[in-house]
Amino acid sequence: MGTRGTISQIHPPTETHFELIQNATNLTANTVFILLGFSDHPELQTLLFLAFLTIYMLTVAGNLIIVVLVINDVHLHTPMYFFLGNLSCLEISYTSTTLPRLLFSLLTGDRTISVHGCIMQYHFFGVLASTECYLLAAMSYDRYLAICKPLRYSSLMNSTVCISLITFSWVSGLLNVSIVTSLLWKLMFCGPNEIEHFFCDLSPVLKLSCSDTQLAELVIFIFSSINTVLPFLLTLISYMNIIIIILKMQTKASRQKAFSTCSSHLTVVMLFYGSLICVYVLPETNTLKGLHKTFSLFYTVFTPMLNPLIYSLRNREVKAAFHRTATKMFNVVHTLA
């Protein structure tokens, strides 16, 4: 009697039940994302491919020349150029996380990327971007010591300190972004799978998740503040002290000489953080949505390409090192011929 009563309470599955089962199944359906990129301009795909290919080649070539000069020329074996060589290595890797995938999409029209591939792209991009924030702060500290404490510069910025700052920059970027990435692996993606961007940036990826992202957003906010705001404040403090010292100098020639030693780095900092602020601080309205993508190009594509030009065109030592290295290579080729 008890068994019959239990069986009689079981209702056959209704259409609503089938819909719920189907929706639950669809939660794990998304295995790929679609990077829309610049698909809203189909007539410009070939032109965009050639433009970005040229930019990528110039970026790799320019930064590689800086690395070779820093390693090869003994006159550039100083802390400032040690940091510059590391920045150039970082820029090559940084650009290589986004541009090759964009070039492939523009060339073939295939804009799909696996969810795992998308998360991995963000991971490498985030690590390199965070490391650059710390590295720019270290470079500003180097300029602060060179201008504000010139007599103690050699002892304060020795090889041990330089290696420690570089190691701290890379380790901090890796650890902080790895924590954020570990949360992304736990998210479920369902429904829409189109990313309105040319690479897997964090914000558009989170919007596609059908999981509760409150914890992820809180952790991301904390570590984003650590990775960007803290290095930015350190950079700002260094340059505030530099400006105060420069203004106190009595002669115009000494002020110009002091400013010339940090003007290139200051230009790079303004370009990098200026575009970051435009992308991540300004509200993402329909009016600014297109501008966000444009400003993203500045810190992911244009700044890495411009860095070698900024440091070489405004730096006599780099131009002299380039001339010496080019002369050596010419003599070697001439001798072999």
Side-chain angles (χ1 to χ4, degrees):
M1 184 68 179
T3 305
R4 290 179 181 177
T6 303
I7 295 175
S8 64
Q9 294 175 1
I10 299 177
H11 301 284
T14 62
E15 185 177 351
T16 304
H17 293 145
F18 282 121
E19 290 180 357
L20 291 173
I21 294 172
Q22 185 177 5
N23 290 337
T25 304
N26 289 337
L27 291 179
T28 57
N30 281 355
T31 57
V32 296
F33 292 140
I34 299 174
L35 293 169
L36 295 181
F38 302 95
S39 58
D40 51 340
H41 301 287
E43 71 283 359
L44 298 177
Q45 299 302 293
T46 303
L47 182 62
L48 287 172
F49 172 79
L50 295 175
F52 284 122
L53 178 62
T54 302
I55 290 173
Y56 184 55
M57 293 173 64
L58 289 174
T59 301
V60 174
N63 284 284
L64 195 58
I65 289 173
I66 295 292
V67 173
V68 171
L69 292 179
V70 171
I71 295 174
N72 182 67
D73 198 294
V74 294
H75 296 86
L76 301 185
H77 290 178
T78 62
M80 183 177 75
Y81 295 109
F82 173 72
F83 290 125
L84 178 59
N86 276 271
L87 179 64
S88 294
C89 287
L90 189 146
E91 298 288 31
I92 294 173
S93 304
Y94 186 55
T95 309
S96 297
T97 61
T98 56
L99 271 186
R101 184 64 187 79
L102 175 60
L103 291 171
F104 176 79
S105 298
L106 292 171
L107 181 64
T108 64
D110 182 8
R111 295 181 175 84
T112 60
I113 183 172
S114 68
V115 172
H116 291 173
C118 190
I119 295 176
M120 288 305 299
Q121 185 189 50
Y122 164 73
H123 175 74
F124 289 113
F125 171 81
V127 168
L128 295 167
S130 299
T131 301
E132 181 162 358
C133 292
Y134 287 107
L135 185 55
L136 290 175
M139 294 175 74
S140 65
Y141 177 66
D142 170 73
R143 293 299 82 205
Y144 161 75
L145 292 180
I147 295 174
C148 301
K149 301 181 184 296
L151 298 179
R152 300 177 58 196
Y153 175 71
S154 298
S155 60
L156 292 175
M157 189 56 71
N158 53 49
S159 58
T160 303
V161 174
C162 291
I163 294 173
S164 298
L165 289 173
I166 291 294
T167 303
F168 176 80
S169 299
W170 281 96
V171 171
S172 298
L174 177 62
L175 289 179
N176 292 338
V177 175
S178 294
I179 294 173
V180 174
T181 307
S182 66
L183 295 175
L184 291 181
W185 289 116
K186 299 177 182 179
L187 297 180
M188 186 178 295
F189 298 95
C190 53
N193 66 340
E194 293 182 343
I195 298 177
E196 293 188 5
H197 218 313
F198 59 89
F199 72 100
C200 293
D201 202 4
L202 189 56
S203 178
V205 171
L206 281 177
K207 290 179 181 179
L208 300 181
S209 174
C210 49
S211 304
D212 184 5
T213 59
Q214 289 185 350
L215 175 61
E217 290 175 354
L218 176 62
V219 173
I220 289 166
F221 174 78
I222 294 172
F223 283 104
S224 296
S225 300
I226 295 174
N227 287 336
T228 55
V229 177
L230 180 60
F232 176 72
L233 290 177
L234 293 174
T235 304
L236 187 63
I237 292 171
S238 295
Y239 273 105
M240 286 176 63
N241 283 281
I242 289 172
I243 292 172
I244 291 172
I245 294 297
I246 290 177
L247 292 177
K248 289 182 179 180
M249 293 179 177
Q250 296 181 351
T251 63
K252 182 179 179 181
S254 60
R255 288 195 296 268
Q256 289 179 341
K257 183 179 179 181
F259 183 74
S260 65
T261 63
C262 62
S263 58
S264 298
H265 179 255
L266 182 59
T267 303
V268 171
V269 168
M270 292 174 64
L271 285 173
F272 182 75
Y273 278 108
S275 56
L276 277 183
I277 291 171
C278 291
V279 172
Y280 296 107
V281 177
L282 294 180
E284 191 174 348
T285 61
N286 290 331
T287 306
L288 296 176
K289 188 176 293 185
L291 289 176
H292 277 208
K293 193 184 298 184
T294 303
F295 283 119
S296 295
L297 285 172
F298 271 92
Y299 76 91
T300 58
V301 177
F302 296 133
T303 301
M305 179 189 67
L306 293 175
N307 280 356
L309 295 175
I310 293 171
Y311 280 104
S312 60
L313 293 178
R314 307 185 66 174
N315 193 304
R316 294 180 181 177
E317 292 179 336
V318 173
K319 288 190 285 188
F322 179 80
H323 178 73
R324 286 190 294 268
T325 304
T327 303
K328 287 181 181 179
M329 293 179 63
F330 176 79
N331 291 335
V332 170
V333 173
H334 186 266
T335 302
L336 294 175

